[in-house]
mmCIF file of all heavy atoms in Angstrom:
data_model
loop_
_atom_site.group_PDB
_atom_site.id
_atom_site.type_symbol
_atom_site.label_atom_id
_atom_site.label_comp_id
_atom_site.label_asym_id
_atom_site.label_seq_id
_atom_site.Cartn_x
_atom_site.Cartn_y
_atom_site.Cartn_z
ATOM 1 N N HIS A 214 0.836 -1.202 0.000
ATOM 2 C CA HIS A 214 0.000 0.000 0.000
ATOM 3 C C HIS A 214 0.876 1.259 0.000
ATOM 4 O O HIS A 214 1.048 1.906 1.038
ATOM 5 C CB HIS A 214 -0.946 -0.010 1.204
ATOM 6 C CG HIS A 214 -1.963 -1.111 1.160
ATOM 7 N ND1 HIS A 214 -3.180 -0.974 0.534
ATOM 8 C CD2 HIS A 214 -1.925 -2.377 1.640
ATOM 9 C CE1 HIS A 214 -3.857 -2.107 0.642
ATOM 10 N NE2 HIS A 214 -3.120 -2.971 1.309
ATOM 11 N N HIS A 215 1.435 1.544 -1.133
ATOM 12 C CA HIS A 215 2.178 2.786 -1.317
ATOM 13 C C HIS A 215 2.158 3.135 -2.806
ATOM 14 O O HIS A 215 1.841 2.301 -3.654
ATOM 15 C CB HIS A 215 3.621 2.665 -0.799
ATOM 16 C CG HIS A 215 4.509 1.822 -1.673
ATOM 17 N ND1 HIS A 215 4.640 0.456 -1.514
ATOM 18 C CD2 HIS A 215 5.297 2.144 -2.729
ATOM 19 C CE1 HIS A 215 5.471 -0.017 -2.422
ATOM 20 N NE2 HIS A 215 5.882 0.983 -3.178
ATOM 21 N N ASP A 216 2.482 4.381 -3.080
ATOM 22 C CA ASP A 216 2.652 4.802 -4.465
ATOM 23 C C ASP A 216 3.875 5.701 -4.543
ATOM 24 O O ASP A 216 4.677 5.761 -3.594
ATOM 25 C CB ASP A 216 1.388 5.481 -5.010
ATOM 26 C CG ASP A 216 0.982 6.712 -4.205
ATOM 27 O OD1 ASP A 216 1.839 7.286 -3.501
ATOM 28 O OD2 ASP A 216 -0.203 7.112 -4.283
ATOM 29 N N GLU A 217 4.024 6.392 -5.660
ATOM 30 C CA GLU A 217 5.228 7.215 -5.830
ATOM 31 C C GLU A 217 5.269 8.397 -4.870
ATOM 32 O O GLU A 217 6.333 9.010 -4.679
ATOM 33 C CB GLU A 217 5.310 7.710 -7.283
ATOM 34 C CG GLU A 217 4.260 8.731 -7.688
ATOM 35 C CD GLU A 217 2.899 8.134 -7.976
ATOM 36 O OE1 GLU A 217 2.785 6.873 -7.927
ATOM 37 O OE2 GLU A 217 1.961 8.893 -8.247
ATOM 38 N N ARG A 218 4.150 8.728 -4.234
ATOM 39 C CA ARG A 218 4.122 9.876 -3.327
ATOM 40 C C ARG A 218 4.336 9.501 -1.867
ATOM 41 O O ARG A 218 4.705 10.346 -1.061
ATOM 42 C CB ARG A 218 2.787 10.620 -3.485
ATOM 43 C CG ARG A 218 2.610 11.292 -4.837
ATOM 44 C CD ARG A 218 1.218 11.857 -5.003
ATOM 45 N NE ARG A 218 0.234 10.790 -5.178
ATOM 46 C CZ ARG A 218 -1.073 10.993 -5.291
ATOM 47 N NH1 ARG A 218 -1.554 12.228 -5.222
ATOM 48 N NH2 ARG A 218 -1.901 9.976 -5.469
ATOM 49 N N GLY A 219 4.084 8.243 -1.528
ATOM 50 C CA GLY A 219 4.270 7.854 -0.135
ATOM 51 C C GLY A 219 3.425 6.657 0.239
ATOM 52 O O GLY A 219 2.947 5.900 -0.610
ATOM 53 N N LEU A 220 3.248 6.469 1.541
ATOM 54 C CA LEU A 220 2.448 5.385 2.078
ATOM 55 C C LEU A 220 0.972 5.645 1.806
ATOM 56 O O LEU A 220 0.561 6.787 1.550
ATOM 57 C CB LEU A 220 2.693 5.256 3.581
ATOM 58 C CG LEU A 220 4.129 4.898 3.990
ATOM 59 C CD1 LEU A 220 4.373 5.216 5.458
ATOM 60 C CD2 LEU A 220 4.411 3.424 3.705
ATOM 61 N N LEU A 221 0.172 4.591 1.894
ATOM 62 C CA LEU A 221 -1.268 4.733 1.691
ATOM 63 C C LEU A 221 -1.961 3.632 2.492
ATOM 64 O O LEU A 221 -2.322 2.584 1.979
ATOM 65 C CB LEU A 221 -1.614 4.628 0.203
ATOM 66 C CG LEU A 221 -3.039 4.975 -0.216
ATOM 67 C CD1 LEU A 221 -3.447 6.352 0.286
ATOM 68 C CD2 LEU A 221 -3.169 4.911 -1.733
ATOM 69 N N TRP A 222 -2.143 3.894 3.783
ATOM 70 C CA TRP A 222 -2.583 2.864 4.713
ATOM 71 C C TRP A 222 -4.036 2.460 4.497
ATOM 72 O O TRP A 222 -4.900 3.310 4.272
ATOM 73 C CB TRP A 222 -2.438 3.354 6.155
ATOM 74 C CG TRP A 222 -1.039 3.662 6.547
ATOM 75 C CD1 TRP A 222 -0.475 4.898 6.688
ATOM 76 C CD2 TRP A 222 -0.013 2.718 6.847
ATOM 77 N NE1 TRP A 222 0.840 4.776 7.056
ATOM 78 C CE2 TRP A 222 1.154 3.458 7.159
ATOM 79 C CE3 TRP A 222 0.042 1.326 6.878
ATOM 80 C CZ2 TRP A 222 2.345 2.834 7.512
ATOM 81 C CZ3 TRP A 222 1.228 0.708 7.225
ATOM 82 C CH2 TRP A 222 2.366 1.463 7.529
ATOM 83 N N PRO A 223 -4.365 1.159 4.615
ATOM 84 C CA PRO A 223 -5.775 0.746 4.698
ATOM 85 C C PRO A 223 -6.420 1.390 5.926
ATOM 86 O O PRO A 223 -5.755 1.635 6.941
ATOM 87 C CB PRO A 223 -5.688 -0.779 4.850
ATOM 88 C CG PRO A 223 -4.337 -1.145 4.313
ATOM 89 C CD PRO A 223 -3.438 0.004 4.627
ATOM 90 N N ALA A 224 -7.713 1.648 5.845
ATOM 91 C CA ALA A 224 -8.392 2.431 6.883
ATOM 92 C C ALA A 224 -8.261 1.821 8.263
ATOM 93 O O ALA A 224 -8.077 2.546 9.265
ATOM 94 C CB ALA A 224 -9.868 2.589 6.520
ATOM 95 N N GLU A 225 -8.324 0.484 8.380
ATOM 96 C CA GLU A 225 -8.331 -0.132 9.713
ATOM 97 C C GLU A 225 -7.007 -0.028 10.439
ATOM 98 O O GLU A 225 -6.956 -0.174 11.658
ATOM 99 C CB GLU A 225 -8.763 -1.597 9.629
ATOM 100 C CG GLU A 225 -10.262 -1.792 9.704
ATOM 101 C CD GLU A 225 -10.649 -3.119 10.346
ATOM 102 O OE1 GLU A 225 -10.637 -3.225 11.588
ATOM 103 O OE2 GLU A 225 -10.975 -4.041 9.590
ATOM 104 N N VAL A 226 -5.920 0.195 9.715
ATOM 105 C CA VAL A 226 -4.617 0.241 10.384
ATOM 106 C C VAL A 226 -3.972 1.619 10.312
ATOM 107 O O VAL A 226 -2.901 1.833 10.881
ATOM 108 C CB VAL A 226 -3.649 -0.812 9.797
ATOM 109 C CG1 VAL A 226 -4.219 -2.204 9.945
ATOM 110 C CG2 VAL A 226 -3.320 -0.516 8.348
ATOM 111 N N ALA A 227 -4.589 2.567 9.634
ATOM 112 C CA ALA A 227 -4.005 3.902 9.501
ATOM 113 C C ALA A 227 -3.821 4.539 10.882
ATOM 114 O O ALA A 227 -4.604 4.281 11.802
ATOM 115 C CB ALA A 227 -4.895 4.782 8.638
ATOM 116 N N PRO A 228 -2.796 5.385 11.043
ATOM 117 C CA PRO A 228 -2.566 6.014 12.349
ATOM 118 C C PRO A 228 -3.684 6.964 12.760
ATOM 119 O O PRO A 228 -3.811 7.298 13.936
ATOM 120 C CB PRO A 228 -1.244 6.747 12.170
ATOM 121 C CG PRO A 228 -1.073 6.919 10.703
ATOM 122 C CD PRO A 228 -1.739 5.741 10.075
ATOM 123 N N ALA A 229 -4.505 7.421 11.814
ATOM 124 C CA ALA A 229 -5.673 8.258 12.115
ATOM 125 C C ALA A 229 -6.718 8.020 11.042
ATOM 126 O O ALA A 229 -6.412 7.540 9.943
ATOM 127 C CB ALA A 229 -5.291 9.736 12.174
ATOM 128 N N ASP A 230 -7.964 8.340 11.369
ATOM 129 C CA ASP A 230 -9.039 8.195 10.391
ATOM 130 C C ASP A 230 -8.998 9.293 9.341
ATOM 131 O O ASP A 230 -9.366 9.073 8.188
ATOM 132 C CB ASP A 230 -10.401 8.227 11.097
ATOM 133 C CG ASP A 230 -10.592 7.055 12.040
ATOM 134 O OD1 ASP A 230 -10.288 5.918 11.635
ATOM 135 O OD2 ASP A 230 -11.034 7.282 13.178
ATOM 136 N N VAL A 231 -8.577 10.481 9.744
ATOM 137 C CA VAL A 231 -8.568 11.617 8.833
ATOM 138 C C VAL A 231 -7.405 12.536 9.189
ATOM 139 O O VAL A 231 -7.016 12.644 10.361
ATOM 140 C CB VAL A 231 -9.919 12.369 8.888
ATOM 141 C CG1 VAL A 231 -10.157 12.972 10.261
ATOM 142 C CG2 VAL A 231 -10.021 13.423 7.805
ATOM 143 N N HIS A 232 -6.838 13.161 8.174
ATOM 144 C CA HIS A 232 -5.719 14.081 8.337
ATOM 145 C C HIS A 232 -6.202 15.467 7.912
ATOM 146 O O HIS A 232 -6.574 15.670 6.748
ATOM 147 C CB HIS A 232 -4.556 13.614 7.455
ATOM 148 C CG HIS A 232 -3.289 14.388 7.647
ATOM 149 N ND1 HIS A 232 -2.064 13.937 7.201
ATOM 150 C CD2 HIS A 232 -3.033 15.584 8.232
ATOM 151 C CE1 HIS A 232 -1.125 14.822 7.488
ATOM 152 N NE2 HIS A 232 -1.701 15.832 8.117
ATOM 153 N N ILE A 233 -6.210 16.411 8.853
ATOM 154 C CA ILE A 233 -6.632 17.782 8.556
ATOM 155 C C ILE A 233 -5.396 18.636 8.345
ATOM 156 O O ILE A 233 -4.488 18.640 9.193
ATOM 157 C CB ILE A 233 -7.483 18.365 9.699
ATOM 158 C CG1 ILE A 233 -8.728 17.504 9.938
ATOM 159 C CG2 ILE A 233 -7.896 19.801 9.379
ATOM 160 C CD1 ILE A 233 -9.564 17.962 11.119
ATOM 161 N N VAL A 234 -5.347 19.326 7.232
ATOM 162 C CA VAL A 234 -4.207 20.182 6.905
ATOM 163 C C VAL A 234 -4.663 21.641 6.936
ATOM 164 O O VAL A 234 -5.573 22.027 6.177
ATOM 165 C CB VAL A 234 -3.625 19.843 5.524
ATOM 166 C CG1 VAL A 234 -2.501 20.817 5.157
ATOM 167 C CG2 VAL A 234 -3.119 18.404 5.498
ATOM 168 N N ALA A 235 -4.050 22.431 7.797
ATOM 169 C CA ALA A 235 -4.262 23.882 7.783
ATOM 170 C C ALA A 235 -3.314 24.465 6.751
ATOM 171 O O ALA A 235 -2.101 24.519 6.963
ATOM 172 C CB ALA A 235 -4.001 24.477 9.164
ATOM 173 N N ALA A 236 -3.861 24.874 5.608
ATOM 174 C CA ALA A 236 -3.015 25.250 4.471
ATOM 175 C C ALA A 236 -2.300 26.570 4.667
ATOM 176 O O ALA A 236 -1.305 26.850 3.988
ATOM 177 C CB ALA A 236 -3.850 25.298 3.196
ATOM 178 N N GLY A 237 -2.772 27.415 5.559
ATOM 179 C CA GLY A 237 -2.118 28.710 5.755
ATOM 180 C C GLY A 237 -2.265 29.175 7.188
ATOM 181 O O GLY A 237 -2.448 28.367 8.105
ATOM 182 N N LYS A 238 -2.171 30.468 7.388
ATOM 183 C CA LYS A 238 -2.309 31.037 8.729
ATOM 184 C C LYS A 238 -3.688 31.699 8.806
ATOM 185 O O LYS A 238 -4.698 31.061 8.513
ATOM 186 C CB LYS A 238 -1.191 32.028 8.984
ATOM 187 C CG LYS A 238 0.203 31.406 8.845
ATOM 188 C CD LYS A 238 1.302 32.433 9.022
ATOM 189 C CE LYS A 238 2.677 31.810 8.807
ATOM 190 N NZ LYS A 238 3.773 32.812 8.923
ATOM 191 N N ASP A 239 -3.778 32.930 9.193
ATOM 192 C CA ASP A 239 -5.013 33.727 9.138
ATOM 193 C C ASP A 239 -6.226 32.964 9.676
ATOM 194 O O ASP A 239 -7.274 32.881 9.047
ATOM 195 C CB ASP A 239 -5.306 34.184 7.701
ATOM 196 C CG ASP A 239 -4.153 34.997 7.118
ATOM 197 O OD1 ASP A 239 -3.466 35.668 7.896
ATOM 198 O OD2 ASP A 239 -3.962 34.918 5.892
#
């Protein structure tokens, strides 16, 4: 479970269910 960009975990074993990215500040 990986591709050229990185890992890609199956849902049951992923370290979190969802990853929230704050794209900036403000």
